[in-house]
Amino acid sequence: MKAKELFTKAQTAATSARILLSAGDVDGACNRAYYAMFDAARAALLASGVIESTVNTKTHSGLISKFSLELVKSGQVSVELGKSLNKVEDLRLMADYKGDSILEEDASWAVNQADIFVEALCAKFS
């Protein structure tokens, strides 16, 4: 998949997250918010010239580590955006696997972070 396609996919997931949040589905909103950020991170790595096979790591943590190493630590992406990706991943794991209750305010924060993250990376890397 190319960076442009991944950015489009990320924007769609961010929109879905907002719709799910407004429908009261906080777990679904966290899931879609995370995947919006995940796809935007993949797109930014590809657009910045990171080799595609490296971007398509086998684990989510591998991709997040690569994003941090290549784009956050190099100063191309703010530390705040890097931290938000990690925090939204934690919420997604709670929502999808741990069965812990997600507060509406946490889901709202995640959806807002996804919007900020996707918009910032699209502006910088597309």
Side-chain angles (χ1 to χ4, degrees):
M1 203 169 255
K2 296 182 180 180
K4 183 178 179 178
E5 295 166 327
L6 285 167
F7 277 128
T8 299
K9 190 174 177 182
Q11 291 165 330
T12 300
T15 300
S16 295
R18 191 147 303 281
I19 291 167
L20 290 167
L21 182 64
S22 68
D25 181 359
V26 294
D27 290 348
C30 288
N31 176 286
R32 292 290 81 210
Y34 169 71
Y35 278 102
M37 296 170 82
F38 180 82
D39 286 333
R42 286 178 60 205
L45 284 165
L46 284 172
S48 70
V50 174
I51 299 170
E52 186 170 351
S53 63
T54 306
V55 174
N56 293 321
T57 60
K58 294 184 191 262
T59 66
H60 288 257
S61 61
L63 182 105
I64 292 169
S65 293
K66 193 68 173 168
F67 179 80
S68 177
L69 180 67
E70 297 287 339
L71 300 180
V72 176
K73 290 189 178 179
S74 69
Q76 295 180 68
V77 173
S78 72
V79 171
E80 292 78 22
L81 288 178
K83 287 180 179 179
S84 71
L85 175 59
N86 284 301
K87 289 178 185 175
V88 173
E89 182 198 25
D90 289 343
L91 287 171
R92 195 247 342 163
L93 289 171
M94 285 192 324
D96 287 354
Y97 299 110
K98 296 178 183 174
D100 296 343
S101 296
I102 303 292
L103 298 175
E104 186 174 347
E105 65 191 51
D106 290 336
S108 180
W109 176 85
V111 170
N112 287 331
Q113 290 303 303
D115 287 339
I116 292 165
F117 190 91
V118 171
E119 186 177 312
L121 294 185
C122 281
K124 182 160 182 90
F125 293 101
S126 65

